[in-house]
Amino acid sequence: MIESTANKQVRNLIQLIKKAKVRRETQTFVVEGIRMFREVPKEQLVQTYVSESFLEKQENHEALKGIHYEVMTDKVFAAVSDTQTPQGILCVVRQKEYTLEEILKKEFPFLMILENLQDPGNLGTIFRTAEGAGVDGIIMSSDTVDIYNPKTVRSTMGSLYRMPFFYEKDLKGVVERIKEKNVSVYAAHLKGKHAYYLEDYRSGCAFLIGNEGNGLTDELAALADTYIRIPMEGQVESLNAAIAAAVLMYEVKRQRD
Amino acid sequence: MIESTANKQVRNLIQLIKKAKVRRETQTFVVEGIRMFREVPKEQLVQTYVSESFLEKQENHEALKGIHYEVMTDKVFAAVSDTQTPQGILCVVRQKEYTLEEILKKEFPFLMILENLQDPGNLGTIFRTAEGAGVDGIIMSSDTVDIYNPKTVRSTMGSLYRMPFFYEKDLKGVVERIKEKNVSVYAAHLKGKHAYYLEDYRSGCAFLIGNEGNGLTDELAALADTYIRIPMEGQVESLNAAIAAAVLMYEVKRQRD
């Protein structure tokens, strides 16, 4: 039983929850809550922690079957937890690495390429929507917000475990390699002449989505085969990045269905 | 010059920012930032406050032309402000009331009906996307989160000023009156048999969107003419409410364009 926040495991957990750098170095991240715990692929599970209250409830024992776990006092658990009303279970999970080759293995790949997205909620929501829309992989510039930050992990609703993705320093290089595979690259851009729904997405396609405030850099946008735009009425100048991504992803799904 | 947070106007402002009840009673709300200030319809502007630093900058004078304003010390302004890095301008704005008749005045109205939405960010994003997609009005159950809460106001990006809407205690009654006007009512529902993109939305249409966790109540859903669903791949059980609303709204826009 862990009874003090001075405990070494507790101190490590807090670092792992707070710091992207520690997550990167250890190639692990923290997941909280019973639902997110249940969905962890078992081969990625490193360590599990539960609170005393959690363990007292008979209905929670099923989820822990065959799993090694450590128990914390409720007070210590609350100090570690990133949520206001902790469910009493959290775990350390190994990060999974994907390659461009894995993401491109289908005949007609469907990819999202995100440049410098900064809102954790937006990123998590894009992962969740992407899984729903049948996206094959998400590639992010290395300055995109960390997908392993606890708020983002939560907002993926488990899609994080299932959606292939990687961070990439040389996003331009990756886009060039994707184009060589006959995947059409579309930039969601205010300069776009074509309404997004006038294109045919049934072959391989990839969408470039830019930063919330500044959009795509000219450098990356220049690599696109086609600039598309989402038509907007009224005085709306742009849509939220996760919304714009969703509208595009579901148009692909509609056409492919 | 307002130099103390004990000032009566300051105390009133803080109440107005913090409490939905005060906003309801006074039929006003607070808007912060230069962009949101510029877009306020002048007939709704009640009072404007700026910080000393704001006033010192020559480039800010243009926005204040012909407008009566009060000056606060930077310290008082920071105490009132709802943001971490205040821009130095905020104002009290009169709420605008719309009626069902105004919202239904077009030949083929396009409406969103929201039941018990609880996430302020979701609600604001729905307003912004709705304006972009050409929605004619948004009707919300009276237990939906307050659109005038400062975080929500910000996330509408000004659409709040332009999108007709009202809160309604008797949402069922309103849906019945809408149906009498030959507007087809669609419920976004997990039980839906029809994929949303198989319906024709070029006539009048209204969409029922339910609470983030629980979806629509059976009572309200029962009034829909058609249950539709957004198809989802992988293990995704539902989409974020603002994302689901966006996918539906942009399918209407696509068909109507």
Side-chain angles (χ1 to χ4, degrees):
Chain A
M1 169 93 78
I2 300 173
E3 293 177 332
S4 161
T5 52
N7 176 291
K8 188 154 192 290
Q9 289 188 67
V10 170
R11 294 202 325 259
N12 286 344
L13 273 174
I14 292 175
Q15 292 287 307
L16 204 49
I17 288 171
K18 286 202 180 145
K19 298 190 178 164
K21 186 165 170 273
V22 177
R23 294 192 288 267
R24 243 186 340 261
E25 283 166 5
T26 59
Q27 290 285 298
T28 60
F29 63 107
V30 173
V31 155
E32 254 202 86
I34 184 74
R35 193 195 145 149
M36 287 295 283
F37 169 75
R38 278 214 190 92
E39 294 189 358
V40 177
K42 290 300 162 271
E43 70 278 11
Q44 285 172 255
L45 189 61
V46 177
Q47 179 63 286
T48 304
Y49 299 89
V50 298
S51 71
E52 277 184 284
S53 305
F54 182 91
L55 207 57
E56 275 164 17
K57 289 186 196 125
Q58 201 57 42
E59 69 265 31
N60 288 332
H61 290 193
E62 182 67 29
L64 293 172
K65 233 177 200 171
I67 293 195
H68 172 80
Y69 56 84
E70 299 264 354
V71 186
M72 291 175 174
T73 63
D74 286 6
K75 211 175 148 191
V76 171
F77 195 96
V80 173
S81 172
D82 185 58
T83 62
Q84 289 193 343
T85 48
Q87 294 183 22
I89 183 161
L90 58 79
C91 56
V92 177
V93 181
R94 189 167 295 113
Q95 297 181 12
K96 193 167 169 183
E97 287 185 21
Y98 300 86
T99 63
L100 182 59
E101 286 58 45
E102 288 173 272
I103 286 179
L104 285 174
K105 67 175 185 265
K106 279 206 196 151
E107 189 184 0
F108 298 122
F110 172 12
L111 310 179
M112 298 302 288
I113 299 171
L114 314 179
E115 188 186 36
N116 192 20
L117 250 71
Q118 289 308 309
D119 183 286
N122 273 349
L123 185 62
T125 303
I126 289 175
F127 267 67
R128 178 179 174 191
T129 313
E131 185 187 2
V135 167
D136 296 308
I138 298 177
I139 303 166
M140 295 167 282
S141 64
S142 45
D143 53 2
T144 294
V145 67
D146 186 16
I147 184 72
Y148 294 115
N149 129 10
K151 184 173 167 8
T152 314
V153 168
R154 263 197 303 282
S155 63
T156 70
M157 299 288 276
S159 296
L160 171 65
Y161 304 134
R162 299 178 294 262
M163 175 57 60
F165 68 90
F166 59 87
Y167 284 87
E168 174 63 46
K169 267 189 196 158
D170 177 21
L171 206 54
K172 280 178 64 183
V174 162
V175 171
E176 277 157 2
R177 282 160 67 200
I178 288 171
K179 286 170 76 174
E180 285 163 14
K181 299 279 181 182
N182 283 323
V183 173
S184 300
V185 176
Y186 299 91
H189 205 284
L190 298 175
K191 278 192 214 152
K193 288 200 183 77
H194 301 254
Y196 69 99
Y197 45 70
L198 297 178
E199 300 292 321
D200 185 335
Y201 303 119
R202 287 170 296 179
S203 303
C205 59
F207 294 86
L208 308 178
I209 305 285
N211 170 269
E212 288 88 349
N214 307 317
L216 290 166
T217 59
D218 291 343
E219 261 195 318
L220 189 67
L223 293 180
D225 296 300
T226 312
Y227 282 16
I228 51 175
R229 69 182 165 77
I230 301 179
M232 283 170 280
E233 304 201 13
Q235 293 176 48
V236 179
E237 287 167 16
S238 69
L239 298 175
N240 163 290
I243 295 286
V247 167
L248 298 176
M249 292 189 283
Y250 263 91
E251 174 61 12
V252 176
K253 173 145 178 72
R254 187 188 72 81
Q255 292 188 13
R256 291 184 169 200
D257 282 354
Chain B
M1 170 92 80
I2 299 173
E3 293 178 331
S4 160
T5 52
N7 176 291
K8 189 154 192 294
Q9 289 187 67
V10 171
R11 294 202 325 258
N12 286 344
L13 272 174
I14 292 174
Q15 291 287 307
L16 205 50
I17 288 171
K18 285 200 179 148
K19 297 190 179 167
K21 187 164 168 276
V22 177
R23 294 192 288 267
R24 243 185 342 261
E25 283 166 4
T26 59
Q27 289 285 297
T28 60
F29 63 107
V30 173
V31 155
E32 253 201 88
I34 184 73
R35 193 196 145 149
M36 288 295 283
F37 169 75
R38 278 213 190 92
E39 294 190 358
V40 177
K42 288 302 162 270
E43 69 278 10
Q44 284 173 254
L45 188 61
V46 178
Q47 179 64 285
T48 304
Y49 299 90
V50 298
S51 71
E52 278 183 284
S53 306
F54 183 89
L55 207 57
E56 275 164 17
K57 288 185 197 126
Q58 202 57 39
E59 69 266 30
N60 288 331
H61 290 193
E62 182 66 30
L64 293 172
K65 232 179 200 171
I67 293 198
H68 172 81
Y69 57 84
E70 300 262 355
V71 186
M72 291 173 173
T73 62
D74 287 6
K75 209 176 152 191
V76 171
F77 195 96
V80 173
S81 172
D82 186 59
T83 60
Q84 288 193 343
T85 48
Q87 295 184 19
I89 183 162
L90 59 79
C91 57
V92 177
V93 180
R94 189 166 295 114
Q95 297 181 12
K96 193 165 169 185
E97 287 186 19
Y98 300 86
T99 63
L100 183 59
E101 286 60 43
E102 289 173 272
I103 286 179
L104 285 175
K105 66 176 186 265
K106 279 206 196 151
E107 190 183 358
F108 299 123
F110 172 13
L111 310 180
M112 299 301 287
I113 299 171
L114 313 179
E115 189 185 35
N116 191 20
L117 251 73
Q118 289 308 309
D119 183 286
N122 273 347
L123 185 62
T125 303
I126 289 176
F127 267 66
R128 177 179 174 191
T129 314
E131 185 187 3
V135 167
D136 297 307
I138 298 177
I139 303 167
M140 296 167 280
S141 64
S142 44
D143 53 3
T144 294
V145 67
D146 186 16
I147 182 73
Y148 294 115
N149 128 10
K151 184 173 164 14
T152 316
V153 168
R154 262 197 303 280
S155 63
T156 70
M157 299 287 275
S159 295
L160 171 65
Y161 304 134
R162 300 179 294 263
M163 175 56 62
F165 68 89
F166 59 87
Y167 283 88
E168 173 64 46
K169 266 188 196 161
D170 177 22
L171 205 55
K172 280 179 63 183
V174 162
V175 171
E176 276 158 3
R177 283 160 66 200
I178 287 171
K179 287 170 75 175
E180 285 164 13
K181 300 277 183 183
N182 284 320
V183 172
S184 300
V185 175
Y186 299 90
H189 205 284
L190 298 176
K191 278 191 215 155
K193 288 199 185 76
H194 301 253
Y196 70 98
Y197 45 69
L198 297 177
E199 300 292 320
D200 184 335
Y201 303 118
R202 287 171 296 178
S203 304
C205 59
F207 294 86
L208 307 179
I209 305 285
N211 170 270
E212 288 88 351
N214 307 315
L216 290 166
T217 59
D218 290 344
E219 262 194 317
L220 189 67
L223 293 180
D225 295 301
T226 312
Y227 281 16
I228 51 175
R229 68 183 166 77
I230 300 178
M232 283 169 281
E233 303 200 14
Q235 293 175 49
V236 179
E237 286 168 16
S238 69
L239 298 175
N240 165 288
I243 296 286
V247 168
L248 298 176
M249 292 190 283
Y250 263 91
E251 174 61 11
V252 176
K253 174 147 178 69
R254 187 188 71 82
Q255 292 189 12
R256 289 184 170 200
D257 282 356

mmCIF file of all heavy atoms in Angstrom, chain A residues 203-241:
data_model
loop_
_atom_site.group_PDB
_atom_site.id
_atom_site.type_symbol
_atom_site.label_atom_id
_atom_site.label_comp_id
_atom_site.label_asym_id
_atom_site.label_seq_id
_atom_site.Cartn_x
_atom_site.Cartn_y
_atom_site.Cartn_z
ATOM 1 N N SER A 203 -10.148 7.431 -54.268
ATOM 2 C CA SER A 203 -8.774 6.924 -54.339
ATOM 3 C C SER A 203 -8.027 7.368 -53.081
ATOM 4 O O SER A 203 -8.623 7.973 -52.202
ATOM 5 C CB SER A 203 -8.080 7.486 -55.571
ATOM 6 O OG SER A 203 -8.819 7.158 -56.710
ATOM 7 N N GLY A 204 -6.723 7.092 -53.024
ATOM 8 C CA GLY A 204 -5.943 7.505 -51.867
ATOM 9 C C GLY A 204 -5.994 9.013 -51.673
ATOM 10 O O GLY A 204 -5.892 9.764 -52.644
ATOM 11 N N CYS A 205 -6.190 9.464 -50.444
ATOM 12 C CA CYS A 205 -6.242 10.907 -50.197
ATOM 13 C C CYS A 205 -5.658 11.260 -48.839
ATOM 14 O O CYS A 205 -5.711 10.478 -47.892
ATOM 15 C CB CYS A 205 -7.674 11.432 -50.327
ATOM 16 S SG CYS A 205 -8.847 10.674 -49.222
ATOM 17 N N ALA A 206 -5.069 12.439 -48.773
ATOM 18 C CA ALA A 206 -4.507 12.944 -47.515
ATOM 19 C C ALA A 206 -4.892 14.416 -47.399
ATOM 20 O O ALA A 206 -4.914 15.137 -48.396
ATOM 21 C CB ALA A 206 -2.992 12.789 -47.520
ATOM 22 N N PHE A 207 -5.219 14.847 -46.180
ATOM 23 C CA PHE A 207 -5.646 16.223 -45.944
ATOM 24 C C PHE A 207 -4.667 16.941 -45.032
ATOM 25 O O PHE A 207 -4.319 16.415 -43.969
ATOM 26 C CB PHE A 207 -7.039 16.240 -45.301
ATOM 27 C CG PHE A 207 -8.098 15.713 -46.206
ATOM 28 C CD1 PHE A 207 -8.361 14.337 -46.260
ATOM 29 C CD2 PHE A 207 -8.809 16.556 -47.036
ATOM 30 C CE1 PHE A 207 -9.324 13.839 -47.122
ATOM 31 C CE2 PHE A 207 -9.777 16.069 -47.903
ATOM 32 C CZ PHE A 207 -10.035 14.703 -47.943
ATOM 33 N N LEU A 208 -4.245 18.130 -45.442
ATOM 34 C CA LEU A 208 -3.371 18.958 -44.605
ATOM 35 C C LEU A 208 -4.234 19.916 -43.786
ATOM 36 O O LEU A 208 -4.998 20.700 -44.353
ATOM 37 C CB LEU A 208 -2.417 19.780 -45.475
ATOM 38 C CG LEU A 208 -1.592 19.035 -46.520
ATOM 39 C CD1 LEU A 208 -0.733 20.027 -47.311
ATOM 40 C CD2 LEU A 208 -0.700 17.988 -45.847
ATOM 41 N N ILE A 209 -4.092 19.854 -42.465
ATOM 42 C CA ILE A 209 -4.852 20.727 -41.560
ATOM 43 C C ILE A 209 -3.852 21.579 -40.787
ATOM 44 O O ILE A 209 -2.919 21.043 -40.189
ATOM 45 C CB ILE A 209 -5.688 19.896 -40.556
ATOM 46 C CG1 ILE A 209 -6.606 18.896 -41.283
ATOM 47 C CG2 ILE A 209 -6.480 20.799 -39.603
ATOM 48 C CD1 ILE A 209 -7.808 19.501 -41.942
ATOM 49 N N GLY A 210 -4.052 22.897 -40.775
ATOM 50 C CA GLY A 210 -3.076 23.790 -40.157
ATOM 51 C C GLY A 210 -3.417 24.221 -38.747
ATOM 52 O O GLY A 210 -4.462 23.874 -38.197
ATOM 53 N N ASN A 211 -2.526 25.001 -38.188
ATOM 54 C CA ASN A 211 -2.661 25.559 -36.843
ATOM 55 C C ASN A 211 -3.957 26.369 -36.688
ATOM 56 O O ASN A 211 -4.401 27.021 -37.632
ATOM 57 C CB ASN A 211 -1.440 26.464 -36.587
ATOM 58 C CG ASN A 211 -1.589 27.291 -35.333
ATOM 59 O OD1 ASN A 211 -2.088 28.405 -35.377
ATOM 60 N ND2 ASN A 211 -1.173 26.750 -34.214
ATOM 61 N N GLU A 212 -4.530 26.316 -35.477
ATOM 62 C CA GLU A 212 -5.818 26.959 -35.185
ATOM 63 C C GLU A 212 -5.845 28.442 -35.557
ATOM 64 O O GLU A 212 -6.832 28.930 -36.092
ATOM 65 C CB GLU A 212 -6.167 26.824 -33.696
ATOM 66 C CG GLU A 212 -6.559 25.423 -33.255
ATOM 67 C CD GLU A 212 -5.387 24.559 -32.840
ATOM 68 O OE1 GLU A 212 -4.230 24.970 -33.077
ATOM 69 O OE2 GLU A 212 -5.611 23.474 -32.295
ATOM 70 N N GLY A 213 -4.793 29.149 -35.239
ATOM 71 C CA GLY A 213 -4.824 30.587 -35.483
ATOM 72 C C GLY A 213 -4.296 30.974 -36.855
ATOM 73 O O GLY A 213 -4.826 31.852 -37.524
ATOM 74 N N ASN A 214 -3.245 30.289 -37.300
ATOM 75 C CA ASN A 214 -2.517 30.741 -38.492
ATOM 76 C C ASN A 214 -2.712 29.886 -39.728
ATOM 77 O O ASN A 214 -2.223 30.229 -40.805
ATOM 78 C CB ASN A 214 -1.016 30.814 -38.170
ATOM 79 C CG ASN A 214 -0.763 31.637 -36.925
ATOM 80 O OD1 ASN A 214 -1.370 32.693 -36.744
ATOM 81 N ND2 ASN A 214 0.089 31.151 -36.031
ATOM 82 N N GLY A 215 -3.411 28.772 -39.590
ATOM 83 C CA GLY A 215 -3.589 27.892 -40.750
ATOM 84 C C GLY A 215 -2.295 27.193 -41.117
ATOM 85 O O GLY A 215 -1.363 27.104 -40.302
ATOM 86 N N LEU A 216 -2.212 26.705 -42.349
ATOM 87 C CA LEU A 216 -1.032 25.986 -42.824
ATOM 88 C C LEU A 216 0.099 26.962 -43.145
ATOM 89 O O LEU A 216 -0.149 28.082 -43.588
ATOM 90 C CB LEU A 216 -1.374 25.220 -44.101
ATOM 91 C CG LEU A 216 -2.304 24.016 -43.958
ATOM 92 C CD1 LEU A 216 -2.822 23.572 -45.329
ATOM 93 C CD2 LEU A 216 -1.569 22.857 -43.281
ATOM 94 N N THR A 217 1.339 26.538 -42.974
ATOM 95 C CA THR A 217 2.456 27.344 -43.462
ATOM 96 C C THR A 217 2.438 27.278 -44.996
ATOM 97 O O THR A 217 1.997 26.279 -45.579
ATOM 98 C CB THR A 217 3.815 26.793 -42.966
ATOM 99 O OG1 THR A 217 3.960 25.450 -43.419
ATOM 100 C CG2 THR A 217 3.902 26.807 -41.450
ATOM 101 N N ASP A 218 2.919 28.352 -45.629
ATOM 102 C CA ASP A 218 2.946 28.394 -47.091
ATOM 103 C C ASP A 218 3.775 27.243 -47.642
ATOM 104 O O ASP A 218 3.421 26.628 -48.651
ATOM 105 C CB ASP A 218 3.543 29.722 -47.583
ATOM 106 C CG ASP A 218 2.602 30.885 -47.293
ATOM 107 O OD1 ASP A 218 1.402 30.628 -47.021
ATOM 108 O OD2 ASP A 218 3.062 32.035 -47.328
ATOM 109 N N GLU A 219 4.875 26.966 -46.944
ATOM 110 C CA GLU A 219 5.773 25.880 -47.359
ATOM 111 C C GLU A 219 5.075 24.545 -47.495
ATOM 112 O O GLU A 219 5.259 23.835 -48.472
ATOM 113 C CB GLU A 219 6.845 25.710 -46.273
ATOM 114 C CG GLU A 219 8.155 26.376 -46.567
ATOM 115 C CD GLU A 219 9.210 25.832 -45.615
ATOM 116 O OE1 GLU A 219 8.893 25.676 -44.410
ATOM 117 O OE2 GLU A 219 10.326 25.569 -46.083
ATOM 118 N N LEU A 220 4.283 24.189 -46.474
ATOM 119 C CA LEU A 220 3.605 22.897 -46.518
ATOM 120 C C LEU A 220 2.453 22.942 -47.517
ATOM 121 O O LEU A 220 2.274 22.021 -48.323
ATOM 122 C CB LEU A 220 3.100 22.506 -45.127
ATOM 123 C CG LEU A 220 2.578 21.072 -45.052
ATOM 124 C CD1 LEU A 220 3.698 20.056 -45.255
ATOM 125 C CD2 LEU A 220 1.878 20.804 -43.721
ATOM 126 N N ALA A 221 1.683 24.041 -47.473
ATOM 127 C CA ALA A 221 0.519 24.154 -48.362
ATOM 128 C C ALA A 221 0.939 24.031 -49.828
ATOM 129 O O ALA A 221 0.205 23.480 -50.647
ATOM 130 C CB ALA A 221 -0.210 25.469 -48.104
ATOM 131 N N ALA A 222 2.165 24.527 -50.128
ATOM 132 C CA ALA A 222 2.637 24.509 -51.517
ATOM 133 C C ALA A 222 2.760 23.087 -52.072
ATOM 134 O O ALA A 222 2.740 22.884 -53.283
ATOM 135 C CB ALA A 222 3.993 25.218 -51.603
ATOM 136 N N LEU A 223 2.870 22.106 -51.188
ATOM 137 C CA LEU A 223 3.017 20.714 -51.634
ATOM 138 C C LEU A 223 1.693 20.065 -52.021
ATOM 139 O O LEU A 223 1.669 18.986 -52.614
ATOM 140 C CB LEU A 223 3.680 19.878 -50.536
ATOM 141 C CG LEU A 223 5.130 20.219 -50.206
ATOM 142 C CD1 LEU A 223 5.632 19.307 -49.100
ATOM 143 C CD2 LEU A 223 6.004 20.075 -51.449
ATOM 144 N N ALA A 224 0.584 20.701 -51.685
ATOM 145 C CA ALA A 224 -0.721 20.083 -51.942
ATOM 146 C C ALA A 224 -0.998 19.999 -53.436
ATOM 147 O O ALA A 224 -0.619 20.883 -54.203
ATOM 148 C CB ALA A 224 -1.823 20.877 -51.250
ATOM 149 N N ASP A 225 -1.683 18.938 -53.845
ATOM 150 C CA ASP A 225 -2.128 18.835 -55.233
ATOM 151 C C ASP A 225 -3.289 19.789 -55.488
ATOM 152 O O ASP A 225 -3.418 20.339 -56.561
ATOM 153 C CB ASP A 225 -2.591 17.397 -55.523
ATOM 154 C CG ASP A 225 -1.452 16.402 -55.407
ATOM 155 O OD1 ASP A 225 -0.477 16.565 -56.154
ATOM 156 O OD2 ASP A 225 -1.538 15.491 -54.558
ATOM 157 N N THR A 226 -4.166 19.941 -54.498
ATOM 158 C CA THR A 226 -5.377 20.740 -54.663
ATOM 159 C C THR A 226 -5.681 21.522 -53.389
ATOM 160 O O THR A 226 -5.578 20.975 -52.298
ATOM 161 C CB THR A 226 -6.591 19.807 -54.952
ATOM 162 O OG1 THR A 226 -6.226 18.883 -55.981
ATOM 163 C CG2 THR A 226 -7.816 20.597 -55.369
ATOM 164 N N TYR A 227 -6.012 22.808 -53.557
ATOM 165 C CA TYR A 227 -6.506 23.589 -52.424
ATOM 166 C C TYR A 227 -8.020 23.470 -52.400
ATOM 167 O O TYR A 227 -8.682 23.765 -53.392
ATOM 168 C CB TYR A 227 -6.159 25.079 -52.597
ATOM 169 C CG TYR A 227 -4.734 25.446 -52.267
ATOM 170 C CD1 TYR A 227 -3.744 24.488 -52.164
ATOM 171 C CD2 TYR A 227 -4.387 26.776 -52.048
ATOM 172 C CE1 TYR A 227 -2.436 24.835 -51.861
ATOM 173 C CE2 TYR A 227 -3.083 27.140 -51.744
ATOM 174 C CZ TYR A 227 -2.110 26.159 -51.660
ATOM 175 O OH TYR A 227 -0.823 26.513 -51.367
ATOM 176 N N ILE A 228 -8.559 23.050 -51.287
ATOM 177 C CA ILE A 228 -10.012 22.990 -51.180
ATOM 178 C C ILE A 228 -10.455 23.958 -50.095
ATOM 179 O O ILE A 228 -9.669 24.362 -49.243
ATOM 180 C CB ILE A 228 -10.506 21.564 -50.830
ATOM 181 C CG1 ILE A 228 -9.754 21.024 -49.613
ATOM 182 C CG2 ILE A 228 -10.344 20.641 -52.024
ATOM 183 C CD1 ILE A 228 -10.254 19.683 -49.123
ATOM 184 N N ARG A 229 -11.736 24.349 -50.142
ATOM 185 C CA ARG A 229 -12.244 25.187 -49.056
ATOM 186 C C ARG A 229 -13.592 24.656 -48.613
ATOM 187 O O ARG A 229 -14.318 24.004 -49.369
ATOM 188 C CB ARG A 229 -12.332 26.643 -49.495
ATOM 189 C CG ARG A 229 -13.388 26.889 -50.505
ATOM 190 C CD ARG A 229 -13.478 28.316 -51.011
ATOM 191 N NE ARG A 229 -14.288 28.271 -52.223
ATOM 192 C CZ ARG A 229 -15.617 28.162 -52.219
ATOM 193 N NH1 ARG A 229 -16.279 28.166 -51.088
ATOM 194 N NH2 ARG A 229 -16.297 28.057 -53.356
ATOM 195 N N ILE A 230 -13.901 24.934 -47.364
ATOM 196 C CA ILE A 230 -15.217 24.606 -46.822
ATOM 197 C C ILE A 230 -16.038 25.882 -46.949
ATOM 198 O O ILE A 230 -15.694 26.890 -46.318
ATOM 199 C CB ILE A 230 -15.105 24.156 -45.347
ATOM 200 C CG1 ILE A 230 -14.193 22.919 -45.261
ATOM 201 C CG2 ILE A 230 -16.471 23.877 -44.767
ATOM 202 C CD1 ILE A 230 -13.989 22.389 -43.853
ATOM 203 N N PRO A 231 -17.087 25.890 -47.768
ATOM 204 C CA PRO A 231 -17.843 27.134 -47.955
ATOM 205 C C PRO A 231 -18.486 27.574 -46.639
ATOM 206 O O PRO A 231 -18.921 26.739 -45.852
ATOM 207 C CB PRO A 231 -18.928 26.744 -48.965
ATOM 208 C CG PRO A 231 -18.543 25.415 -49.507
ATOM 209 C CD PRO A 231 -17.668 24.766 -48.499
ATOM 210 N N MET A 232 -18.495 28.884 -46.408
ATOM 211 C CA MET A 232 -19.070 29.405 -45.158
ATOM 212 C C MET A 232 -20.009 30.559 -45.454
ATOM 213 O O MET A 232 -19.677 31.438 -46.235
ATOM 214 C CB MET A 232 -17.949 29.856 -44.222
ATOM 215 C CG MET A 232 -17.260 28.681 -43.547
ATOM 216 S SD MET A 232 -15.772 29.149 -42.666
ATOM 217 C CE MET A 232 -14.609 29.236 -44.024
ATOM 218 N N GLU A 233 -21.169 30.541 -44.809
ATOM 219 C CA GLU A 233 -22.115 31.640 -44.961
ATOM 220 C C GLU A 233 -21.907 32.660 -43.850
ATOM 221 O O GLU A 233 -21.076 32.476 -42.961
ATOM 222 C CB GLU A 233 -23.540 31.093 -44.934
ATOM 223 C CG GLU A 233 -23.726 30.031 -46.012
ATOM 224 C CD GLU A 233 -25.171 29.811 -46.387
ATOM 225 O OE1 GLU A 233 -26.046 30.615 -46.016
ATOM 226 O OE2 GLU A 233 -25.424 28.812 -47.080
ATOM 227 N N GLY A 234 -22.702 33.732 -43.906
ATOM 228 C CA GLY A 234 -22.650 34.751 -42.862
ATOM 229 C C GLY A 234 -21.289 35.411 -42.814
ATOM 230 O O GLY A 234 -20.620 35.592 -43.828
ATOM 231 N N GLN A 235 -20.852 35.761 -41.625
ATOM 232 C CA GLN A 235 -19.572 36.444 -41.469
ATOM 233 C C GLN A 235 -18.503 35.525 -40.893
ATOM 234 O O GLN A 235 -17.513 35.985 -40.325
ATOM 235 C CB GLN A 235 -19.756 37.665 -40.568
ATOM 236 C CG GLN A 235 -20.626 38.745 -41.203
ATOM 237 C CD GLN A 235 -20.876 39.902 -40.253
ATOM 238 O OE1 GLN A 235 -19.975 40.428 -39.624
ATOM 239 N NE2 GLN A 235 -22.118 40.300 -40.137
ATOM 240 N N VAL A 236 -18.711 34.224 -41.021
ATOM 241 C CA VAL A 236 -17.757 33.264 -40.461
ATOM 242 C C VAL A 236 -16.500 33.243 -41.330
ATOM 243 O O VAL A 236 -16.589 33.075 -42.536
ATOM 244 C CB VAL A 236 -18.387 31.858 -40.390
ATOM 245 C CG1 VAL A 236 -17.397 30.854 -39.840
ATOM 246 C CG2 VAL A 236 -19.635 31.893 -39.518
ATOM 247 N N GLU A 237 -15.350 33.446 -40.701
ATOM 248 C CA GLU A 237 -14.097 33.479 -41.455
ATOM 249 C C GLU A 237 -13.404 32.126 -41.499
ATOM 250 O O GLU A 237 -12.658 31.818 -42.417
ATOM 251 C CB GLU A 237 -13.147 34.514 -40.846
ATOM 252 C CG GLU A 237 -13.592 35.936 -41.161
ATOM 253 C CD GLU A 237 -12.861 36.965 -40.307
ATOM 254 O OE1 GLU A 237 -11.819 36.617 -39.715
ATOM 255 O OE2 GLU A 237 -13.365 38.103 -40.221
ATOM 256 N N SER A 238 -13.628 31.336 -40.470
ATOM 257 C CA SER A 238 -13.018 30.016 -40.440
ATOM 258 C C SER A 238 -13.790 29.157 -39.467
ATOM 259 O O SER A 238 -14.549 29.658 -38.640
ATOM 260 C CB SER A 238 -11.563 30.114 -39.974
ATOM 261 O OG SER A 238 -11.540 30.483 -38.607
ATOM 262 N N LEU A 239 -13.591 27.838 -39.558
ATOM 263 C CA LEU A 239 -14.196 26.924 -38.602
ATOM 264 C C LEU A 239 -13.135 26.472 -37.613
ATOM 265 O O LEU A 239 -11.939 26.539 -37.896
ATOM 266 C CB LEU A 239 -14.779 25.712 -39.328
ATOM 267 C CG LEU A 239 -15.899 26.007 -40.334
ATOM 268 C CD1 LEU A 239 -16.295 24.726 -41.066
ATOM 269 C CD2 LEU A 239 -17.118 26.604 -39.638
ATOM 270 N N ASN A 240 -13.565 26.001 -36.465
ATOM 271 C CA ASN A 240 -12.664 25.353 -35.512
ATOM 272 C C ASN A 240 -11.932 24.211 -36.233
ATOM 273 O O ASN A 240 -12.502 23.549 -37.095
ATOM 274 C CB ASN A 240 -13.541 24.851 -34.352
ATOM 275 C CG ASN A 240 -12.880 23.822 -33.479
ATOM 276 O OD1 ASN A 240 -12.658 22.688 -33.895
ATOM 277 N ND2 ASN A 240 -12.547 24.211 -32.280
ATOM 278 N N ALA A 241 -10.650 23.990 -35.907
ATOM 279 C CA ALA A 241 -9.829 23.012 -36.640
ATOM 280 C C ALA A 241 -10.409 21.592 -36.584
ATOM 281 O O ALA A 241 -10.404 20.874 -37.591
ATOM 282 C CB ALA A 241 -8.401 23.010 -36.096
#
